[in-house]
Amino acid sequence: MTKSSKQLYNNALNKFVDFLKEKHQKDDIKIKDITRSMFQEFLNWYGENRTHESVRKIQNQMKRAFNDAVYDGIIERSPVYNTKINSTKDSQSKDDKFIKYDDFNQIRDYAVTRFEISYFIIYLLCITGARFSEIQRLQAVDLSREDNTLYLRGTKTDTSPRTIILSTEDIDFILKRLSEYPGETPLGISNNAVTKSLRGIVERFKLDKEHITLHMLRHTHCSVLIHDGVDIHYVSKRLGHSSISTTLRIYSHLLDKKKDEEDRKIEELLAQKWHKNKKNPSKH
């Protein structure tokens, strides 16, 4: 099994554990005790405010795991069989992946004022553009005051482990906050718990996003960098993408918008030069 495949399985398992905690008040369950009706309940739970494609992916990931368990004789039949995807959200348009610039800043600025771990993680996602699973693994040793960097251990691809730059103020604040939380890896909180805090911010300030996810913070972080003219190759490395083509595919429409802006600048510049040359023609 590849490293990325293993991570996909782990992410799916973590989602199922979140479901067990929320709906059944338990942390684990024997695989043989997972019924088809329970798995359908899980898909319905996961499908709340998620697209059909998102639910399909996690269904397929767990289907492969259950099929392996059947093959190995651990269970007689897969609970995924004939389960249906009931998502409550239409497929996202490209712009639906992003949060408005002012709203993004408001989320970050409010999160940094709260002490709870869930809000701290929201703040970290805003300023790093990291994946949630990467922030979960953050430790104080990953930060350097010498060069203002944060090492992200990565979880998805071989290029995911990376070092990114932050401000001196951010580094100091993160180190201070980590020292105030108990445990060596104090950020072990579920995606669902942090998402609830994020939705609480959205409701508190009546922000323009009916459905919002933590991954939108990563997309918006990137969109801000692109809007501010940061080189796309640098952005790709900061996000930990396996190749520049991944970044171009996901954010191509943002680059197209940026190109339109640059085209207008060039058009204005050439027009200014044209009028200047017309007023002051060269003499030969």
Side-chain angles (χ1 to χ4, degrees):
M1 182 186 296
T2 64
K3 187 175 180 180
S4 59
S5 295
K6 184 177 180 181
Q7 182 58 40
L8 289 173
Y9 282 130
N10 286 336
N11 287 341
L13 176 61
N14 290 337
K15 293 291 187 298
F16 193 80
V17 170
D18 288 343
F19 158 74
L20 287 176
K21 289 178 180 178
E22 182 173 323
K23 294 297 184 180
H24 294 272
Q25 289 74 53
K26 57 176 68 174
D27 294 332
D28 55 32
I29 189 173
K30 291 182 178 179
I31 190 171
K32 67 181 181 63
D33 293 332
I34 301 175
T35 63
R36 191 168 64 175
S37 62
M38 178 183 285
F39 190 78
Q40 182 64 65
E41 184 186 3
F42 163 68
L43 290 181
N44 295 343
W45 171 83
Y46 187 75
E48 294 177 4
N49 299 326
R50 286 188 172 88
T51 64
H52 183 279
E53 180 63 16
S54 295
V55 183
R56 185 193 67 79
K57 285 181 179 179
I58 201 165
Q59 183 192 45
N60 284 344
Q61 289 157 11
M62 297 194 73
K63 180 180 180 180
R64 287 193 291 268
F66 282 119
N67 285 345
D68 286 342
V70 171
Y71 180 83
D72 292 335
I74 298 172
I75 55 177
E76 292 185 6
R77 55 182 64 88
S78 169
V80 183
Y81 174 72
N82 212 26
T83 52
K84 305 202 180 326
I85 296 173
N86 299 311
S87 59
T88 61
K89 187 178 179 185
D90 296 330
S91 296
Q92 284 181 311
S93 70
K94 289 181 177 179
D95 285 331
D96 283 343
K97 294 180 179 179
F98 305 94
I99 303 165
K100 287 183 178 179
Y101 183 77
D102 289 342
D103 291 351
F104 178 73
N105 287 339
Q106 196 162 17
I107 290 170
R108 181 200 60 213
D109 293 346
Y110 179 74
V112 79
T113 66
R114 298 289 296 265
F115 180 77
E116 298 91 332
I117 291 176
S118 59
Y119 290 97
F120 181 55
I121 289 180
I122 290 170
Y123 152 77
L124 290 172
L125 293 172
C126 288
I127 67 168
T128 64
R131 302 175 180 92
F132 175 80
S133 53
E134 293 171 333
I135 293 300
Q136 271 186 315
R137 305 173 68 192
L138 179 65
Q139 299 179 45
V141 295
D142 298 327
L143 293 113
S144 170
R145 274 198 175 103
E146 290 184 11
D147 48 10
N148 294 334
T149 57
L150 165 64
Y151 176 69
L152 292 168
R153 298 165 183 267
T155 57
K156 197 168 183 181
T157 66
D158 290 338
T159 58
S160 286
R162 60 203 183 277
T163 299
I164 64 171
I165 193 78
L166 295 175
S167 71
T168 302
E169 292 78 11
D170 282 328
I171 293 289
D172 289 342
F173 177 78
I174 295 169
L175 287 170
K176 178 179 181 298
R177 186 55 61 83
L178 286 175
S179 70
E180 295 169 338
Y181 295 138
E184 293 182 6
T185 53
L187 304 184
I189 185 173
S190 72
N191 184 296
N192 192 50
V194 181
T195 298
K196 284 183 178 179
S197 293
L198 177 59
R199 289 174 182 164
I201 299 176
V202 172
E203 292 173 5
R204 179 185 182 90
F205 294 105
K206 295 180 172 53
L207 303 183
D208 184 27
K209 269 296 175 194
E210 183 179 355
H211 304 295
I212 193 166
T213 66
L214 297 177
H215 208 66
M216 287 181 183
L217 300 178
R218 173 172 165 85
H219 285 310
T220 307
H221 175 88
C222 175
S223 72
V224 170
L225 296 181
I226 291 174
H227 181 269
D228 289 344
V230 178
D231 180 74
I232 190 64
H233 289 84
Y234 177 88
V235 172
S236 182
K237 291 183 181 299
R238 184 177 178 89
L239 295 179
H241 284 161
S242 57
S243 68
I244 185 68
S245 61
T246 301
T247 317
L248 292 171
R249 174 174 53 81
I250 298 173
Y251 302 104
S252 59
H253 73 298
L254 292 180
L255 295 170
D256 289 341
K257 289 180 180 178
K258 190 67 179 174
K259 177 181 178 298
D260 290 341
E261 293 176 9
E262 297 302 322
D263 284 345
R264 286 193 293 272
K265 288 180 183 178
I266 293 296
E267 187 178 11
E268 291 173 4
L269 180 62
L270 292 175
Q272 290 171 6
K273 288 192 174 184
W274 169 260
H275 291 301
K276 182 179 179 181
N277 290 337
K278 195 173 181 181
K279 290 179 181 179
N280 303 291
S282 298
K283 295 180 180 180
H284 296 284

